[in-house]
Amino acid sequence: MKQEPGCVFCGIVADPSNSDVVWDDESVLAFMDINPVTDGHVLVIPKDHFVGLTDITPETAGRMMTVAQGMAQAMKNSELRCEGVNLFFADGEEAFQEVFHSHLHVFPRFRDDGFMIDAHWSGRSKESLAASAMMIREVLEPPRR
């Protein structure tokens, strides 16, 4: 297992006894966030140390999403207040990543829960969208296997 000295999440992987673990398998660990957006907020992390989204192997990324789906279903089936679920993955400081070990937030949502995304959603011209699509397609690599 790849671990990074001083990484708080690698420390939790090494010794999960001080965390409220809800899932533990060969490649993924899920535990309660200590600063939750809402009650039931879970973090799904790879056991290996990966920093960003593109660092994670496709198999591990897929496993993280599968575990997140299970967490979402469990939240909806539990006594938690859960009228919906958000997934949030921050990749890089500018994207608000604070712990530089890949992690996927899964948290229950309900009306007036206080969570908001303060973004300026605005339309773009067809030309602008086409130009952005071309820039992505020009460097797009097939998924790693």
Side-chain angles (χ1 to χ4, degrees), residues 44 46 49-62 64-65 88-92 95 97 99-104 144:
V44 179
H49 184 83
F50 298 105
V51 175
L53 180 60
T54 58
D55 301 322
I56 306 169
T57 64
E59 297 78 20
T60 301
M64 289 173 68
M65 184 58 75
F88 181 77
F89 190 104
D91 183 356
Q97 185 176 8
V99 177
F100 291 89
H101 181 122
S102 293
H103 55 287
L104 178 61
R144 292 177 289 166

Side-chain angles (χ1 to χ4, degrees), residues 2-116:
K2 296 184 319 184
Q3 300 292 290
E4 182 71 25
C7 171
V8 66
F9 288 172
C10 287
I12 291 171
V13 169
D15 180 12
S17 64
N18 290 323
S19 300
D20 292 298
V21 173
V22 293
W23 184 266
D24 187 354
D25 67 26
E26 65 284 344
S27 61
V28 171
L29 186 69
F31 53 93
M32 304 309 295
D33 191 308
I34 62 169
N35 295 305
V37 170
T38 58
D39 288 338
H41 183 161
V42 171
L43 297 177
V44 179
I45 69 168
K47 286 188 171 180
D48 282 328
H49 184 83
F50 298 105
V51 175
L53 180 60
T54 58
D55 301 322
I56 306 169
T57 64
E59 297 78 20
T60 301
R63 186 70 189 142
M64 289 173 68
M65 184 58 75
T66 299
V67 170
Q69 285 179 308
M71 294 299 114
Q73 189 62 60
M75 290 170 185
K76 291 177 179 181
N77 292 342
S78 76
E79 293 183 27
L80 288 169
R81 187 165 179 200
C82 182
E83 298 163 9
V85 174
N86 266 125
L87 301 181
F88 181 77
F89 190 104
D91 183 356
E93 191 172 345
E94 293 303 319
F96 306 110
Q97 185 176 8
E98 294 177 349
V99 177
F100 291 89
H101 181 122
S102 293
H103 55 287
L104 178 61
H105 295 259
V106 184
F107 51 95
R109 297 298 310 279
F110 51 88
R111 186 172 306 282
D112 299 322
D113 61 17
F115 180 76
M116 55 192 247

